[in-house]
Amino acid sequence: MRVLSTAPVRSVALLGTGAQALAHARVLAELGEVRALHVVGRTTAQADAFAERLAAELGSVELTAHGHLADALRTAQAVVTLTTSLRPVLPDQQPAGLLVVGVGAFTPQMAELPPALLRARRVVVDALDGARHEAGDLIQAAVVWSGVTELVDHLDARPEGGAAPVFKTVGHAAWDLAAAHVAQRMLTTS
């Protein structure tokens, strides 16, 4: 979020209440920069249960369950979609400064992000090869792949100004390998 957002991210909307949302909430709280998490589930009861489960664990991070997406987005600087939806879960129009991170849809049949948003924003992906085969959001929107930027290239030449990009991740073996190295290092030094 530090390298993709146009401003510091202190408030994040999480769309989803499953295992991926749980992991993301924990990591965002641990990094210490995010001060508020706004959770939206399929139902208000799911969002409430998620918030109750994590409230004590996350400590200083304000955790709020919302029944409506618009309420969760009202003060967010970033939104992270963590669903297995077959249809977009976000509206076409989002504020220019809102960083959109698509995590959950990971097959060609799934799509969390609306085509209009993908066409209106710069799209950054973790791995171009994986996205071409797995990112249903991008495939269904028929994005122009030559206009999609890999994260490593975005880091080398970060554009200044303009709308925050959409970051779409489908996972990458290099990320898994890096995580394994970090875990191994942590285990051997403790």
Side-chain angles (χ1 to χ4, degrees), residues 67-83:
H68 301 285
L69 176 60
D71 295 335
L73 293 175
R74 195 163 279 125
T75 61
Q77 287 100 26
V79 58
V80 182
T81 58
L82 300 144
T83 76

Side-chain angles (χ1 to χ4, degrees), residues 25-188:
R26 288 176 171 153
V27 167
L28 290 169
E30 188 172 317
L31 292 175
E33 296 172 10
V34 172
R35 305 279 184 256
L37 292 174
H38 301 275
V39 181
V40 179
R42 267 192 212 123
T43 66
T44 303
Q46 284 178 323
D48 286 339
F50 183 91
E52 285 176 28
R53 177 179 178 190
L54 283 179
E57 180 183 331
L58 298 187
S60 64
V61 174
E62 178 186 330
L63 192 60
T64 307
H66 296 277
H68 301 285
L69 176 60
D71 295 335
L73 293 175
R74 195 163 279 125
T75 61
Q77 287 100 26
V79 58
V80 182
T81 58
L82 300 144
T83 76
T84 55
S85 181
L86 299 178
R87 290 186 302 274
V89 296
L90 287 178
D92 291 347
Q93 300 292 318
Q94 296 299 323
L98 183 72
L99 173 63
V100 176
V101 180
V103 176
F106 50 85
T107 71
Q109 296 77 28
M110 296 176 178
E112 297 179 300
L113 308 175
L117 179 65
L118 294 168
R119 289 185 197 109
R121 299 271 184 106
R122 186 173 68 253
V123 176
V124 178
V125 297
D126 53 352
L128 195 52
D129 287 339
R132 282 187 172 130
H133 300 285
E134 298 174 32
D137 316 87
L138 307 182
I139 295 166
Q140 292 179 35
V143 298
V144 177
W145 291 103
S146 62
V148 175
T149 305
E150 269 193 327
L151 182 59
V152 67
D153 295 326
H154 176 80
L155 297 175
D156 289 340
R158 266 198 312 201
E160 291 188 25
V166 171
F167 177 61
K168 178 61 185 173
T169 177
V170 292
H172 191 278
W175 294 89
D176 297 338
L177 182 60
H181 281 292
V182 169
Q184 181 183 24
R185 209 172 313 132
M186 291 175 69
L187 290 172
T188 58

